[in-house]
Amino acid sequence: MQKREEGPTRPTSTSTPGRWLRIRNGGPPRHGGGRKLSAARRSSITRTPHKSTMASTSAPWQWPVPRPLQQLFDSFPLVTYAATELPARSQPATSDSVPTLYVFASEADARLGAPSFNPGCLKWQTFLRLAGVTFRILPSTNHASPTGALPFLLPARPNTTPIPATKLHTYALQHGTCPPSEPSTLRLDAYHSLLDLPLRNAWLHALYLNPAHTSLLDTFYTAPASSSPWIRDALRLQLRRAAEAEILKTGSYLSAAAAGTAVVDGKQVYEGAREALEALAALLAESETGWFFGAQRPTLFDAGVFAFTYLMVRYMDGEGGLGGMVKGAGDGELEGHRRRVLEAARWGGEK
């Protein structure tokens, strides 16, 4: 009778599970008990993985999809829809022939091409019109600007590179039909500072910090941003803090009554604006052409002055307001200048 080669046996009552597993993996028993397996037998056992091991190493994507789930997927096949058309208000931005200037403005004013309610935007909007550049405007926000600030110009196709405000002067000289020449005078920078400091501070204080113009602030900035009263209140507070910080950075407008705290003194702000307007009126009185520095045509500086005087007269013309300061400066030079710029920029319907 032929003797059968013995292999590993299943664990009995005297054997342990650990010992059995070591034998199945081709290793020696823990305590040297049992028979020693041949090399061929150990090799065959080692090369044959257990079913549980095969299941654990299978890739998830190789698993069969359950039939009910497959039927559900078959009921909703993958469909690629056509691209949605752009809204009607965006068509001017994609025009082949007309550049678009993005500014702070309401939807209604943008459709009419009316002046922006923001001094920085209105300055460049006015200068482009004075230079004879054909363009249209669309309302926007700082978040949409490549530089984080308005305005910016999107030129006509095929050139779609946005042009920031710092390059609008060069663009106007290159594409305008009647670009004005800029005055070369040493006094230009000094008078520019009147626009950037006292007049800008006065506008910021009147619009953002003066409670009398809260409704105007809401109309310009908070109402278009959200319909929620809580969000509007938070945004209004944020804007007021930012305006106050801007004013404090540019001058000594601290209130004497605020010991140890930085509080803007409105009287000092408006007094600085009054002095700046008087200085501008005196400078304009020296010109025989009606434009600053004796220029034959309105320049960028004229557009910058107009941006403040127009907005102050239009929105803050009450008793003691900035509009009254503009009209009362000098002998009315700035008021006359404002009207001439309106006519030169072809804003005949504005006052």
Side-chain angles (χ1 to χ4, degrees), residues 57-335:
T57 58
S58 299
W61 55 83
Q62 294 179 350
W63 294 347
V65 179
R67 185 170 182 78
L69 190 59
Q70 183 64 51
Q71 292 176 348
L72 177 63
F73 288 161
D74 292 341
S75 302
F76 298 94
L78 179 63
V79 177
T80 303
Y81 294 96
T84 305
E85 295 184 359
L86 292 174
R89 66 181 294 273
S90 68
Q91 295 304 317
T94 60
S95 174
D96 292 336
S97 58
V98 180
T100 303
L101 183 69
Y102 291 86
V103 298
F104 286 108
S106 65
E107 294 281 353
D109 287 346
R111 286 193 295 267
L112 299 175
S116 168
F117 54 73
N118 179 272
C121 294
L122 181 55
K123 170 186 174 181
W124 290 107
Q125 183 185 4
T126 303
F127 181 72
L128 292 176
R129 293 177 70 102
L130 293 174
V133 177
T134 301
F135 67 97
R136 64 188 71 195
I137 65 172
L138 278 181
S140 186
T141 64
N142 287 331
H143 302 289
S145 173
T147 61
L150 294 179
F152 72 94
L153 182 80
L154 191 64
R157 291 185 178 180
N159 183 9
T160 58
T161 303
I163 300 175
T166 55
K167 298 182 179 180
L168 286 178
H169 184 267
T170 302
Y171 180 88
L173 298 181
Q174 295 174 349
H175 296 83
T177 58
C178 49
S181 59
E182 292 303 311
S184 57
T185 174
L186 297 176
R187 298 188 300 170
L188 183 60
D189 291 339
Y191 282 96
H192 257 303
S193 65
L194 298 180
L195 307 182
D196 298 335
L197 296 178
L199 290 189
R200 182 172 180 268
N201 287 339
W203 173 259
L204 291 176
H205 189 280
L207 179 61
Y208 295 93
L209 303 181
N210 191 342
H213 296 136
T214 299
S215 60
L216 194 62
L217 175 62
D218 291 340
T219 301
F220 288 167
Y221 296 108
T222 62
S226 175
S227 60
S228 170
W230 296 280
I231 296 179
R232 290 183 180 182
D233 291 342
L235 180 58
R236 188 185 306 114
L237 179 60
Q238 181 181 1
L239 292 173
R240 284 174 171 169
R241 288 178 176 176
E244 186 176 29
E246 284 293 312
I247 296 174
L248 292 175
K249 284 194 309 184
T250 58
S252 56
Y253 299 107
L254 300 180
S255 174
T261 59
V263 179
V264 176
D265 188 344
K267 292 183 178 180
Q268 294 187 37
V269 172
Y270 294 130
E271 184 61 29
R274 187 186 304 276
E275 294 175 358
L277 292 172
E278 291 291 343
L280 290 171
L283 176 64
L284 189 59
E286 299 175 0
S287 174
E288 298 179 356
T289 62
W291 308 114
F292 284 97
F293 303 106
Q296 297 300 316
R297 300 188 64 257
T299 64
L300 181 61
F301 185 82
D302 291 274
V305 174
F306 168 80
F308 284 106
T309 58
Y310 171 80
L311 295 176
M312 290 175 177
V313 171
R314 178 176 181 180
Y315 296 110
M316 302 174 183
D317 198 21
E319 183 178 357
L322 294 176
M325 294 184 188
V326 172
K327 294 180 178 180
D331 293 329
E333 288 86 356
L334 294 181
E335 173 62 12

Side-chain angles (χ1 to χ4, degrees), residues 13-24:
S13 59
T14 58
S15 61
T16 62
R19 177 174 176 273
W20 169 251
L21 292 176
R22 292 176 65 82
I23 294 174
R24 286 299 303 268

